[in-house]
Structures are given as C-alpha cells and as structure tokens.
Amino acid sequence: MEVVMAFVVGGLYAAAIYMMLRRSIVKLVIGLVLLSNAANLLIFTVAGMTSGAPPLISPGDTVPEGVAADPLAQAVVLTAIVIGFGVLAFAVVLIHRAYEVVQADDMDQMKDTDR
C-alpha cells in the first residue's frame, strides 16, 4: 500500500507544480490546494499505513496492547488541513480583489497594467 501511496503523492506533487506554473491565477490556487493535499498524504504515508486500535492505555498498563495507530501524524495533518483552509480562503479573497481591480486573470496582463 505504501508503494501505491508513494505514486499518488508523486502524482499530486507533479500536478501541483504543473498547475502553479500556469499563467492563470486561479490555476495557481488550485496548485496550492493540490500541494497541501500531497503534503498531508506524504505525512500519513511516512508515519506508516498500519491500521490499528486507538492508542488508549488500559489502567495498570504502561503501553497500549497490540497494534496502535500513531496519533502524532494524525494531529499534524489535522493542523495542516486547518492552516491550508485558511490560506486557501485568503488566496480566494485576494484573487477576487485583484480581478476586480485589474479585470484580468492572466498574470502577464496583471503585470502590464499601470494601476
């Protein structure tokens, strides 16, 4: 399963870089979203794709019994999702305002305006 996830993450990174190199500012934001999703999947893959019980320790024990899921990677990815959503919301508002002022979506046309 890790090999499949490695190809998925690589494909997402490739698509993100391709989208970020386009002239359209909307495609740039789509590339940013793909990049954040690829980073989240990379963290999950590196942490290990083992399914297990929640890491709860029974009273009197010092370690969880059996295979337990790693909660650190889940917490980091959850934080990254929230931060990524905030960055996406900011970028969408910024794009909307830039389009209102310049009346163009192409970055080359935005650069050539004298506003």
Side-chain angles (χ1 to χ4, degrees), residues 42-87:
L42 180 67
I43 292 170
F44 265 139
T45 305
V46 169
M49 300 287 293
T50 58
S51 60
L56 302 175
I57 300 174
S58 303
D61 291 340
T62 57
V63 294
E65 297 174 8
V67 179
D70 184 16
L72 182 62
Q74 296 173 8
V76 168
V77 169
L78 182 62
T79 305
I81 289 170
V82 172
I83 292 170
F85 181 72
V87 169

Side-chain angles (χ1 to χ4, degrees), residues 26-47:
V26 174
K27 291 178 183 175
L28 174 75
V29 171
I30 293 171
L32 284 173
V33 170
L34 288 175
L35 188 69
S36 67
N37 287 335
N40 292 341
L41 283 177
L42 180 67
I43 292 170
F44 265 139
T45 305
V46 169

